[in-house]
Amino acid sequence: MSVTLDLFRNETDGPTFAKGQPVFSAGDVADRMYVVLEGEVEISIRGKVVETLGPGGVFGEMALIEHTPRTATVTAVTSCRLVEITERRFLFLLQQTPHFSLQIMRVITERLRKMDDLL
């Protein structure tokens, strides 16, 4: 699942993570979501890997939308560079970029289906 990289291609100041470094852990306070610009990250829930994302992948959106603690842990599989999307930027993107809104809805529905399959 990938959000178009065209929206974020010119980002220069996003955080970087070394291989094996956590981006966030389950239970952390959520105030932003992320888009992978370079590298790969792994999403795990209760120690089980549920998804691996590469460039264009988006994560952290559910906790940002719900204002709840993180339910998953995300770890850099390789060195990676991310784009941080705060709630303010997220709301702007939803209003100004219908394609982004649709992609986020697709990410959420696909993840919900995967979780149903795991249960």
Side-chain angles (χ1 to χ4, degrees):
M1 181 76 43
S2 170
V3 171
T4 181
L5 285 174
D6 290 341
L7 289 173
F8 307 104
R9 190 170 309 283
N10 296 323
E11 296 284 329
T12 57
D13 59 352
T16 58
F17 294 84
K19 179 181 177 179
Q21 184 178 4
V23 177
F24 58 73
S25 298
D28 286 355
V29 174
D31 65 350
R32 63 200 63 226
M33 61 178 276
Y34 298 87
V35 175
V36 179
L37 282 183
E38 299 170 2
E40 288 188 334
V41 299
E42 202 170 67
I43 301 171
S44 59
I45 298 175
R46 293 186 291 277
K48 180 177 180 174
V49 175
V50 294
E51 194 169 0
T52 301
L53 301 174
V58 62
F59 62 95
E61 74 292 335
M62 290 168 71
L64 179 64
I65 291 167
E66 293 182 308
H67 298 283
T68 58
R70 304 281 186 194
T71 58
T73 295
V74 177
T75 306
V77 175
T78 65
S79 61
C80 60
R81 188 164 62 98
L82 308 175
V83 173
E84 291 182 317
I85 300 175
T86 62
E87 183 176 24
R88 182 177 174 174
R89 186 174 185 189
F90 179 69
L91 293 173
F92 176 82
L93 287 165
L94 291 178
Q95 291 173 349
Q96 300 299 317
T97 315
H99 181 69
F100 177 78
S101 301
L102 182 59
Q103 289 297 318
I104 294 300
M105 286 187 271
R106 287 179 177 154
V107 165
I108 292 170
T109 55
E110 183 173 311
R111 289 202 175 123
L112 288 172
R113 282 196 184 104
K114 281 183 184 178
M115 295 311 296
D116 283 345
D117 291 343
L118 294 175
L119 298 176

